[in-house]
Amino acid sequence: MRAIILAAGLGLRLQQPPQAQFPKCLLQFDGMSLLERHLQMLENAGVTDVVLALGFQPESVQAELERINWPHKVETALNTRYDLGSVLTVHTVAEALTRGGDVLLMDADVLYDERILNALVAGETVNRLLIDRDFEAGDEPVKLCLKDDVPVELRKQLAVNLEYDTIGESVGFFRFRQETAQRFAEIVAGYVESGRANMPHEEAVRDLLLERSQVFHTADVTGAPWIEIDFPNDVVRASTEILPQLQPLVSASR
């Protein structure tokens, strides 16, 4: 199993002055960066094949990798047009997507409990989505809608006539079987070739779900603490609400 961590973005919505901006995977909570937490939890889950998609300030992330001194090789890929959408970042790591075996596609800017990752990696080869039914309504969360356990929508904005029996927020992690990852890479390539490289990669995942060529299972992680960090108040919530609920992690460099 391979983990691809998307860490290319600018993080503009954190509203930092230009001279103070840095990749969100370097945000620290309790003295540990989000990147180090990702790597430690992946190792605890038995996943040591990791590809890191970089863009903004790659040298800062490389320096953090050296500081962490993770005992496994971390492959990196660079999206020089990180100012565009995450579809292009995913396209940058297309070879890692299609190399074989199950693939975990993970956003780097998430602080999360080990139960989240354990639900993602459990069992034999499978396509898996994660859903949290306890979410705040609004335009920001990416909603995952199911009907009879089948995904029928993955978007921030839902059509008024959409029929579903389950709705929740999609955690920013996906698991693809080998053939599914191949098809996903093809869809992403189509976005880039048709001038839609500025789109979020969730749109390509949505296309994959709605074409129904692959069967997806959904793991319900409602109750497990996690937060995607986009805005300044997310950093505060991560520190005051989410972090105290997490089990302490041993640094990978110790």
Side-chain angles (χ1 to χ4, degrees), residues 184-199:
F184 178 60
E186 293 170 357
I187 293 173
V188 167
Y191 269 67
V192 174
E193 291 163 5
S194 61
R196 294 177 291 163
N198 62 332
M199 298 293 287

Side-chain angles (χ1 to χ4, degrees), residues 13-14 24 27 29 34 109-111 136 140 169 226-243:
R13 292 186 294 181
L14 285 181
K24 286 191 289 183
L27 283 167
F29 298 94
L34 288 178
D109 58 351
V110 183
L111 179 67
E136 296 180 6
E140 188 58 31
E169 183 173 2
W226 70 282
I227 186 170
E228 183 177 3
I229 301 171
D230 290 320
F231 301 99
N233 68 313
D234 293 334
V235 178
V236 175
R237 285 193 58 211
S239 296
T240 60
E241 298 178 25
I242 304 301
L243 186 63

